[in-house]
Amino acid sequence: MVEAGVKTALAARVESLEGCEVKAGAPLAPLTSVRAGGAAEALVRPRSPDALVALLKLAREEGVPVSILGGGANTLVGDGGVPGLTLKLPGDLFPEVADVGPEEGRLTLGAGAAIVRLVNVMRANALVGAEFLAGIPGTLGGAVAMNAGTKNGEAFRVIDAVEVATADGVGWLTKAQVPHAYRHAELPPGGVVTRVRFALRKGDVVASKAVMDADLGYRKRTQPLSQPNFGSVFTNPPGDHAGRLIELAGLKGYSLGRAQVSTLHANWIVNLGGATARDVLGLITFMQVRVLETSGVDMKPEVKRLGDFL
């Protein structure tokens, strides 16, 4: 079990690397949107691509596990904490690049930047096409890793290329070189997304803003955005909606410990204050069992788990 504030030999070795900010025993609950879970053995923020590659090389040579923490929007950290290295890329690790022509444009942003940053840069350059990403929490790297989206589109619809770091260096992959599907992208083993290039088009920015405003208004009315949460807990099964099946199972508002199935949207779990990862994971499992019993559907969680679960 990783203890908060305890400095290990691993953290000391990472501190010796140039260009790395290290915090031993760092509590991770405040860095996740559901606000639950334990600490990182070593939370590391690399300040350059070279520092990131050096970290990944150290991890490979010493057999140290590496976990990636983006915006923490769809992540559950175990109560036992996260052993090894937990990487969090700074949002300003890379400069933003806008290559805009008369009819289209390509925007390149760092993977540690918030998704909303893409929306803002898109608007500033009179581009459109990524409206469906507005309002989704988390980072651009996380959006790549889980092919984030809504009913109106998914990230890889507007992704042109992805830069990935491994222990052997940094390189670009085209969209076609990254197999992807609903809420999933297959990155190189041990790879960390560092930058993302988006292909967008010139268009009516006023209409684009209206679409995003309408979507955000709908989200505020139908989702518990004021409470700690994951966003959607389960992927939608083919031809159906996870929220409908959970509500049909009579679980809307059901609680386990301090974790609750939202009374506003059944496919969201909220932290009522003081929920443990054990509470949350137990509730997820219970929801799966009940929906399987009532509807015969095996629900697939889209929440990423990190660390040790007690």
Side-chain angles (χ1 to χ4, degrees):
M1 178 174 177
V2 176
E3 296 183 36
V6 175
K7 185 175 181 178
T8 64
L10 172 63
R13 289 199 298 278
V14 174
E15 283 180 339
S16 69
L17 297 176
E18 186 176 350
C20 291
E21 177 189 331
V22 188
K23 187 172 183 181
L28 294 180
L31 301 181
T32 68
S33 60
V34 79
R35 303 291 191 268
E41 180 179 354
L43 176 64
V44 189
R45 290 180 171 87
R47 299 304 309 183
S48 72
D50 287 344
L52 174 58
V53 171
L55 277 170
L56 297 176
K57 189 174 294 186
L58 170 69
R60 184 174 68 182
E61 291 173 350
E62 302 198 13
V64 174
V66 177
S67 301
I68 315 299
L69 182 65
N74 213 326
T75 302
L76 180 62
V77 173
D79 294 321
V82 183
L85 302 177
T86 300
L87 300 184
K88 187 166 180 62
L89 299 187
D92 60 353
L93 187 59
F94 297 94
E96 297 170 351
V97 178
D99 181 11
V100 182
E103 296 183 358
E104 59 184 21
R106 281 173 169 73
L107 303 178
T108 303
L109 292 88
I115 293 174
V116 69
R117 184 61 194 159
L118 168 64
V119 175
N120 292 338
V121 176
M122 175 181 76
R123 185 186 307 167
N125 286 277
L127 296 169
V128 300
E131 290 79 10
F132 58 90
L133 290 173
I136 296 179
T139 62
L140 293 173
V144 172
M146 67 171 294
N147 194 14
T150 67
K151 62 182 179 181
N152 298 317
E154 59 187 24
F156 271 86
R157 192 173 87 184
V158 290
I159 287 173
D160 180 59
V162 178
E163 186 185 59
V164 177
T166 68
D168 297 313
V170 182
W172 283 93
L173 299 173
T174 65
K175 174 180 178 177
Q177 292 174 309
V178 184
H180 53 276
Y182 175 62
R183 300 297 177 268
H184 174 75
E186 193 172 323
L187 296 165
V192 178
V193 178
T194 51
R195 287 189 290 177
V196 191
R197 187 165 64 233
F198 297 90
L200 304 168
R201 65 184 189 281
K202 283 294 186 75
D204 187 339
V205 294
V206 174
S208 171
K209 184 177 185 302
V211 168
M212 291 187 284
D213 288 346
D215 184 50
L216 290 173
Y218 175 77
R219 286 171 177 270
K220 289 177 180 178
R221 293 191 303 272
T222 61
Q223 298 171 352
L225 302 181
S226 63
Q227 296 173 283
N229 66 78
F230 289 121
S232 296
V233 177
F234 298 97
T235 60
N236 287 323
D240 211 332
H241 295 281
R244 188 192 76 83
L245 295 174
I246 297 165
E247 191 165 354
L248 187 65
L251 295 179
K252 202 170 188 179
Y254 183 87
S255 297
L256 181 61
R258 297 297 293 167
Q260 181 187 57
V261 179
S262 170
T263 57
L264 196 58
H265 193 308
N267 195 25
W268 288 49
I269 287 176
V270 297
N271 183 344
L272 299 175
T276 64
R278 183 171 183 167
D279 292 338
V280 177
L281 186 57
L283 185 54
I284 290 173
T285 302
F286 184 71
M287 293 163 75
Q288 287 178 290
V289 170
R290 284 294 297 271
V291 169
L292 185 61
E293 291 174 345
T294 56
S295 299
V297 177
D298 186 12
M299 304 280 280
K300 305 297 182 185
E302 61 178 75
V303 174
K304 179 182 177 183
R305 301 180 195 176
L306 289 185
D308 296 334
F309 289 81
L310 303 178

